[in-house]
Amino acid sequence: NFPGHFLLRAPLATPTRLADDILIVDPFHKGAFLSEIDCRELLRQHVGDAAAFDRSLLEPATRHQIVVRMLVNLKRLYVRMRSFPQARFISDLLLTVDPSAIVELRDRGLLAYHLQDFAGALRDLEAYLRLLPKRIVGDDESDQTPSDGEEAPAEAESEHQQIWEHVKTLRKRVAGFN
């Protein structure tokens, strides 16, 4: 379950094999064998220079992780194709498989917005904002502050503000329908 890229892991077939001896294969690059250095470089390419390599990244994926990853990849494909009904359906599946995936609430809400299901969008985006970690600050409804004295990352704050603006707009639209 390597970040950004599925890899295959197999035990090395040697008579004196140690428990840590594994073979890593990249199925997307003609079955190339990867060393730990290759894996570190692959991680850097997919996650960035600040990525910290840990051998736990080479642990086998569970069935649940595989299903979630395949669904996320499928949702991204549908979004790129601007096939929003299918992407929303995949978000529904992801929330069924993992109800704690609050980012899927956000995505499903934004997809509902694209599909002009304003009540559905409002429901999901409000739930998303309610479930966000309390360290996100700056919404107009509450006086949330960082719990440990740290500031929230600017990117998270910006996203929170964008979603909050969507919620305010959606509230007006939905109220106008009543």
Side-chain angles (χ1 to χ4, degrees), residues 1-177:
N1 200 23
F2 199 76
H5 199 77
F6 267 123
L7 298 174
L8 300 175
R9 171 190 159 126
L12 284 173
T14 62
T16 60
R17 184 174 80 78
L18 298 173
D20 289 349
D21 289 345
I22 58 172
L23 181 66
I24 303 295
V25 180
D26 185 346
F28 299 102
H29 293 101
K30 299 180 182 176
F33 298 130
L34 301 179
S35 67
E36 187 173 311
I37 293 169
D38 297 329
C39 291
R40 288 175 185 273
E41 176 59 22
L42 189 60
L43 180 66
R44 190 193 62 73
Q45 289 172 11
H46 286 283
V47 181
D49 291 329
F53 180 82
D54 185 319
R55 286 191 60 85
S56 68
L57 296 174
L58 301 176
E59 291 298 315
T62 65
R63 286 185 179 119
H64 182 266
Q65 289 171 323
I66 292 169
V67 168
V68 167
R69 191 155 178 172
M70 290 172 60
L71 288 172
V72 167
N73 289 343
L74 189 57
K75 183 182 77 173
R76 285 183 187 146
L77 176 67
Y78 283 139
V79 168
R80 265 197 312 270
M81 292 172 30
R82 303 190 63 76
S83 185
F84 299 129
Q86 289 82 357
R88 184 178 181 187
F89 176 72
I90 298 300
S91 280
D92 286 338
L93 290 176
L94 283 161
L95 282 163
T96 300
V97 170
D98 185 2
S100 69
I102 66 168
V103 77
E104 288 307 321
L105 274 174
R106 179 203 63 201
D107 289 359
R108 188 174 68 181
L110 294 173
L111 290 164
Y113 184 82
H114 279 291
L115 294 168
Q116 298 184 358
D117 174 7
F118 301 125
L122 180 59
R123 180 188 62 244
D124 284 345
L125 294 177
E126 284 180 329
Y128 170 73
L129 290 176
R130 271 193 315 275
L131 294 170
L132 274 178
K134 296 297 183 194
R135 64 179 215 278
I136 303 298
V137 297
D139 73 25
D140 293 345
E141 283 195 330
S142 66
D143 189 20
Q144 298 173 346
T145 56
S147 58
D148 57 3
E150 295 179 355
E151 289 187 17
E155 187 176 306
E157 174 66 24
S158 173
E159 177 190 301
H160 181 268
Q161 283 304 116
Q162 289 174 353
I163 298 298
W164 177 234
E165 291 302 319
H166 280 306
V167 165
K168 289 191 288 189
T169 301
L170 284 164
R171 284 179 177 169
K172 290 176 189 169
R173 276 200 168 167
V174 170
F177 293 145

